[in-house]
Amino acid sequence: MNTQKLICTCNEVKYQDVIDAVNDGCTTVEEVQERTHCGYGCGRCKAFLRSYVEELLEEKQA
């Protein structure tokens, strides 16, 4: 996966930004959004962000 690819084009949030947020202790989608501002623009990325963060959190617990 290209972690430099954008998840949120409005705020230029990359996959790596979300990964970093989870690795640094964010445990909810809302915390990731607060840190990265992902989904604060048009909102089209919110559903994907939610599933991606949940996937990252599951992997982290495994």
Side-chain angles (χ1 to χ4, degrees), residues 5-50:
K5 185 176 175 183
L6 293 176
I7 290 178
C8 175
T9 56
C10 293
N11 293 308
E12 298 184 5
V13 180
K14 300 172 187 162
Y15 280 80
Q16 189 63 52
D17 298 323
V18 175
I19 293 167
D20 291 344
V22 170
N23 286 339
D24 289 345
C26 291
T27 59
T28 65
V29 174
E30 293 76 18
E31 288 176 349
V32 172
Q33 283 185 290
E34 190 173 307
R35 176 172 168 164
T36 65
H37 298 262
C38 190
Y40 282 3
C42 73
R44 284 184 290 191
C45 61
K46 280 185 174 182
F48 177 75
L49 176 66
R50 180 166 300 283

Side-chain angles (χ1 to χ4, degrees), residues 55-62:
E55 180 182 317
L56 290 172
L57 290 170
E58 286 177 15
E59 287 176 8
K60 190 174 181 180
Q61 291 179 359

